[in-house]
Amino acid sequence: MSILVYTEISKGKIKKVSLEAVNYAAHIASATGSSTTAIIINPGDVNLDDLGKAGANKVLSVSNSNINTSDSQVMARVLNFAAEAENAQIVIFSHDYTAKAVAPRLAARMKAGFVPGAIDYPTTDGQFSVSKNVFSGKATANYQIFSSKKVISLLPNTFQVQTSGSPVASTSFDIPADLLNSRIKVKEVKRESNELSLPEAELVVSAGRGLKGPENWGMIEDLAKALGAATACSRPVSDLGWRPHHEHVGQTGLAIRPNLYIAVGISGAIQHLAGVNGSKTIVVINKDPEAPFFKSADYGIVGDAFEIVPKLIEAVKKFKASQN
Amino acid sequence: MKILVCISKAPDTTAKIAFKDNNTSFDENNVQYIVNPYDEWYALVRAIELTEQLKKGSITLITVGGADMDAIIRKAFAIGADNGVRIDAEPTDAYFVAEQIAAYAKENAFDIIFTGKETINFNGSAIGGMISEMLDMPYISMATKLDVNDTTATAECDIDGGTEVVECSFPFVISANKGMAEARIPNMRGIMAARTKELKVIPAIAAEKLTGVSSYALSQGRTTCKMIDAENAAGLIDLLHNEAKVI
Ligand SMILES: Cc1cc2nc3c(=O)[nH]c(=O)nc-3n(C[C@H](O)[C@H](O)[C@H](O)COP(=O)(O)OP(=O)(O)OC[C@H]3O[C@@H](n4cnc5c(N)ncnc54)[C@H](O)[C@@H]3O)c2cc1C
Ligand SMILES: Nc1ncnc2c1ncn2[C@@H]1O[C@H](COP(=O)(O)O)[C@@H](O)[C@H]1O
């Protein structure tokens, strides 16, 4: 028996969230006495050693340019085929956009109980259950999976990645051509190439309507750059077109859980908190001492962002220099 | 153009979250329910816009739920749609819910099946994908735009690290993300009409439940916020390094 993990490449490397998913699968495998198989589609010449180091016992490398990876129907067939070949009862994804499209399809195809966005390791003795966030992060629910087959997607940044194992040689894995019929045609792909991916980022600097206008984002970007952080924003900011829509976090935007979330000029509405209150450490900078966000923060500074942020940039630069 | 829109409910975001029966169920006392925003603001409104544009077609709302869903469907009726179906069962498992909707859709041949991106209370993002698999249809996930002509649909979707434009022929399932339409406010005529629209209640088919919530727990809030003097911004960096250990 094995646990199958779906993994991906981005920008010439195995994605960090994929390594998290492999770690997670390896943990379940060791608790249940099974093994971990990672599958990766069209890795090209990217080095796959990290998959083994993260805990995969076997790596299936699929090279086939006819696979429309944008079509969840094709992807569900491909992964179901691999799960059957590997006798996998459990399939693990990272809870990203791909998983949101593919994992439920695969679960339906396998007739597997599905838990999206798991935040802890499952209990495996007796009943199999795993927790996820519910009610905008105000609570967690423990889900029991009754079926023998299971699909779980792991919330990104839930566990620190560990790559202390040893690499394994990858096995090339063929997919029958009749599984690859696709009814979805990709016309265009637009990727924000140079930015850190927000869901994967460990540090995030975010700003809200308190910044007054898009022309003032330079200092936010500078602070993010000094820290090596990604940038995010509140919903009105993306609604107003001050920042791109994919930066919007909250109940109706992305839910993120970085190690550090710095909120500048954001009031801390409940719908905003819903997307960020899983962050490990929250810093709030707001000129209003009554801003609700301070109630959900670990560190707070009351004051004018236009004075404080430049000081922070200097302090970060000094700190970085002292580290070298 | 026959369109099916899947409707679920969600507690108003200001609702107080509490549990009962030894933390095994959600305490609905004093909780106001709304139509799940993604279903109403984006899926339903875009469905209405498409039928308006094409000057043909019909919209059916579907929900899997108990009698309390009738009021939610009527709220959605006030925005638009022609008729509604409630499948009478408690929606405790995504696979079970998807089987119900898929069974109805199989008998009624829709061109487009809309879901919301996710319910805002459980954030499953699961029902749309499952329905599409059960119906063997393409699935356009997380769409922020949808345009159709007589033979094809073009959609823009969020993908990891960017967006993608895809083309697809009918029928298909699509999950609606923010951006697909502008939320509409029901007008008096809509509210009046909502009362008389047909809402059919049908029994559930036999289907398995593959998951279930065994317990809930309230998340721990943060303790107290440590305040740092605005003059001493550099002190924050020190705390983040030495105390929080995040940089
Ligand atoms: C159903 C629903 C879903 C929603 N989903 C989301 C969501 O996903 N994400 C989201 O963010 N919002 C969401 N919202 C909106 C949310 O309720 C708030 O309106 C929004 O988060 C407020 O954004 P903001 O904090 O940037 O702006 P504001 O509330 O206007 O706050 C601006 C803050 O900046 C401070 N400020 C002003 N000037 C300065 C200065 N010079 N220096 C420092 N601080 C300053 C002010 O004191 C204030 O606290 C949703 C709302 C609804 C109803
Ligand atoms: N009980 C239900 N009845 C009908 N549609 C539902 C139900 N639950 C969820 N949906 C639809 O599926 C979408 C995604 O829900 P979920 O997978 O629960 O996050 C929602 O936005 C609805 O469109």
Side-chain angles (χ1 to χ4, degrees), chain A residues 182-195:
Chain A
S182 175
R183 280 181 272 170
I184 288 200
K185 218 186 290 164
V186 178
K187 305 296 280 183
E188 195 184 343
V189 179
K190 298 176 229 171
R191 279 188 207 276
E192 334 300 333
S193 50
N194 295 319
E195 296 166 41

Side-chain angles (χ1 to χ4, degrees), chain A residues 109 111 132 251 279 299, chain B residues 13 122 133 208 222 243:
Chain A
R109 193 171 189 91
K111 205 173 175 194
K132 77 184 291 290
Q251 182 191 300
S279 309
Y299 300 101
Chain B
T13 29
F122 290 99
E133 188 63 30
E208 266 179 76
R222 284 165 205 270
E243 189 176 85

Side-chain angles (χ1 to χ4, degrees), chain B residues 147-192:
Chain B
D147 289 300
V148 301
N149 60 31
D150 282 336
T151 55
T152 26
T154 308
E156 187 166 320
C157 322
D158 286 337
I159 56 170
D160 295 301
T163 57
E164 186 174 81
V165 178
V166 297
E167 213 176 71
C168 182
S169 55
F170 303 101
F172 59 85
V173 181
I174 184 164
S175 75
N177 201 352
K178 183 191 159 207
M180 184 175 273
E182 288 288 331
R184 288 189 185 182
I185 298 164
N187 56 27
M188 210 51 212
R189 233 181 67 215
I191 295 168
M192 297 304 286

Side-chain angles (χ1 to χ4, degrees), chain A residues 207-212 233-237 248-253 264-272 285-288 291-292 303-306, chain B residues 13 37 41 120:
Chain A
R209 201 150 50 180
L211 253 69
K212 312 283 190 284
C233 68
S234 68
R235 168 163 150 180
V237 164
H248 153 208
V249 293
Q251 182 191 300
T252 43
V264 184
I266 301 177
S267 56
I270 182 75
Q271 298 89 356
H272 184 83
I285 299 167
N286 198 303
K287 70 173 185 191
D288 174 9
D304 185 352
F306 295 97
Chain B
T13 29
W41 299 353
I120 61 168

